[in-house]
Amino acid sequence: MRKLVILGATGSIGEQALEVVSASDELSIVGLAAGRRWERLVGQARDHGVPRIALADSEAAAAATDAWKGQVLTGEQGIRELVADSGADLVLNGMVGSAGLGPTIVALTEGIELALANKESLVVGGELVTALAEATDTRIIPVDSEHSAMFQLVAAEMPGTVQRLVLTASGGPFRGRTDLSGVTPEDALAHPTWDMGGRITIDSATLMNKGFEMIEAHHLFGTPYDRIDVVVHPQSIVHALVHLNDGASLAHLGYPDMRVPISYALNYPERADLDVPTLDLAKAGELTFAEPDVETFACLRLAREAGQAGGTAPCVLNAADEVAVGAFLDARIPFTAIAEIVERTLEAIPAAAPGHFEDLYAVDAEARERARELIQAVGVAP
Ligand SMILES: NC(=O)c1ccc[n+]([C@@H]2O[C@H](COP(=O)([O-])OP(=O)(O)OC[C@H]3O[C@@H](n4cnc5c(N)ncnc54)[C@H](OP(=O)(O)O)[C@@H]3O)[C@@H](O)[C@H]2O)c1
């Protein structure tokens, strides 16, 4: 039995991870955490016989304590304790946002293997996070579908043979459009191929998500940015591609279903049976590929530039984006202002080399403050 903690259990990744666990005889859950949806979390704990849960929101934690006999930990500190004292073999971090960085640090510090869906951990703290994983000799197994695919493609290759990495992008709901004025949250939340949480769905519509994934790939595989390409592939069947030194290119294919990379990460290095349809290429029909439009989707350019600047720049990129996406979802700014807020926040806070995780938290707070000020200036969305 592998003992598992799931963070972000009430979210899209968390719920699908619970499905994977339910179908397995090899995995048992020793802790669950979420933000505020305490009733759902308590229900999951009951269903899976989990002894301890943690909720970031203190009111939600108090309500859960009244309603449930198990142990309830509170706040960010509670989530860190849940991980540190869990005795787990594996932590699945499926939290959303830079709040996921803290538990990632705790898991790696404790030497607990990390199945990482929370891409923000690597976007915000990539250099320090990978250095910590190396120092504690702890494996990070990517859960993001593209990175899981790359992880599997690269695994069989000798060092020095992989020339380029190619990330595929569905292109989101606005692929092919060059005018994004008037886009509503409802339009942007309608992702054509993947069913995901709100923030990542908006990030997919701006292509910021693909930019984050470029930064994630850079840190996971130690690949320079000028050897990471993005190609638009609307069918989301090819998840990633690697080009090798002898002219061969390897691709990872499958229907878009996050249970596949989740199951791979939770069972690594083994593979478990999973009740998903096998790819039928003839039925899938035409697979198409195109260059991304970085003029219309400026977030992809901004992410590449922030990644190349390095240091605190990706942390600023993420913080400004989190704030801007929240404001867009609340109908406080137009869709096109997301990239503008991010760009102006990056201009206002020059990249610096973080010496410690505390430096990142300080820059994260500064960038959020700056982004909020800019949002005030942009005004209310039409
Ligand atoms: N969904 C996908 O298919 C997919 C694919 C690849 C990568 N990812 C990555 O996986 C992560 C999760 O995405 P998602 O789509 O599953 O998001 P989601 O559906 O919005 O779920 C987010 C989860 O995080 C929890 N949470 C939010 N703030 C928290 C905090 N401060 N402390 C603790 N927990 C908190 C939420 O709890 P409450 O709802 O209870 O507040 C919820 O359980 C993101 O980094 C995303 O980029 C997702």
Side-chain angles (χ1 to χ4, degrees):
M1 272 288 183
R2 294 190 92 192
K3 286 183 277 174
L4 172 66
V5 170
I6 301 179
L7 309 176
T10 55
S12 161
I13 290 289
E15 294 274 8
Q16 292 178 86
L18 286 163
E19 265 187 63
V20 168
V21 172
S22 296
S24 167
D25 298 329
E26 310 284 330
L27 299 165
S28 85
I29 305 174
V30 294
L32 292 172
R36 61 182 62 208
R37 278 183 282 171
W38 68 269
E39 283 164 308
R40 182 76 200 121
L41 193 70
V42 165
Q44 292 173 339
R46 285 201 177 107
D47 291 348
H48 291 267
V50 178
R52 292 206 315 164
I53 63 172
L55 282 146
D57 183 86
S58 54
E59 280 178 26
T65 307
D66 288 343
W68 186 55
K69 288 203 178 68
Q71 190 184 2
V72 181
L73 302 167
T74 308
E76 279 181 23
Q77 187 52 33
I79 295 176
R80 289 172 197 223
E81 274 174 41
L82 181 85
V83 173
D85 305 340
S86 61
D89 302 301
L90 181 68
V91 170
L92 169 65
N93 188 346
M95 284 166 59
V96 65
S98 59
L101 177 61
T104 283
I105 297 168
V106 175
L108 295 175
T109 304
E110 296 295 325
I112 307 173
E113 202 162 88
L114 183 64
L116 190 62
N118 177 259
K119 63 189 75 182
E120 294 87 345
S121 289
L122 285 172
V123 171
V124 172
E127 282 143 33
L128 298 181
V129 166
T130 46
L132 177 60
E134 208 164 299
T136 60
D137 196 19
T138 309
R139 193 170 9 230
I140 301 176
I141 309 161
V143 170
D144 228 336
S145 58
E146 296 80 357
H147 304 77
S148 173
M150 279 180 184
F151 186 85
Q152 295 170 55
L153 292 170
V154 164
E157 300 307 322
M158 298 298 284
T161 56
V162 176
Q163 304 275 288
R164 302 190 75 78
L165 305 179
V166 184
L167 286 161
T168 52
S170 73
F174 310 129
R175 181 177 53 86
R177 277 177 64 168
T178 51
D179 178 7
L180 299 176
S181 51
V183 159
T184 65
E186 201 182 25
D187 299 332
L189 284 169
H191 195 279
T193 47
W194 294 97
D195 182 13
M196 309 175 287
R199 197 247 172 145
I200 182 176
T201 306
I202 302 302
D203 284 340
S204 298
T206 61
L207 290 200
M208 180 62 94
N209 182 52
K210 211 45 60 178
F212 287 158
E213 290 179 2
M214 213 161 41
I215 298 172
E216 198 183 356
H218 165 78
H219 292 297
L220 281 170
F221 305 108
T223 309
Y225 286 99
D226 59 5
R227 292 206 279 121
I228 306 176
D229 302 321
V230 171
V231 66
V232 174
H233 167 49
Q235 298 81 16
S236 299
I237 296 285
V238 176
H239 302 310
L241 190 88
V242 297
H243 296 304
L244 304 178
N245 60 335
D246 62 357
S249 298
L250 308 181
H252 182 291
L253 286 78
Y255 291 119
D257 187 331
M258 282 309 294
R259 289 173 303 167
V260 177
I262 291 171
S263 173
Y264 181 80
L266 299 190
N267 291 292
Y268 182 83
E270 290 175 13
R271 286 184 191 266
D273 292 343
L274 198 62
D275 187 16
V276 292
T278 305
L279 179 63
D280 182 333
L281 276 176
K283 272 202 189 132
E286 209 177 325
L287 302 183
T288 57
F289 303 91
E291 289 280 331
D293 170 3
V294 288
E295 297 252 323
T296 309
F297 299 93
C299 286
L300 186 57
R301 169 181 61 81
L302 293 172
R304 190 180 278 279
E305 287 169 4
Q308 277 164 336
T312 52
C315 173
V316 172
L317 176 88
N318 174 72
D321 181 70
E322 270 190 59
V323 172
V325 168
F328 168 68
L329 285 171
D330 292 345
R332 285 188 287 123
I333 58 168
F335 185 76
T336 46
I338 297 174
E340 192 188 322
I341 303 282
V342 172
E343 182 152 29
R344 289 176 62 189
T345 309
L346 281 163
E347 282 164 7
I349 305 175
H356 194 270
F357 287 113
E358 295 306 327
D359 300 339
L360 294 172
Y361 293 130
V363 170
D364 179 271
E366 186 188 350
R368 281 167 198 271
E369 189 51 40
R370 185 78 192 131
R372 281 188 207 106
E373 287 166 11
L374 289 164
I375 285 165
Q376 290 278 332
V378 169
V380 178

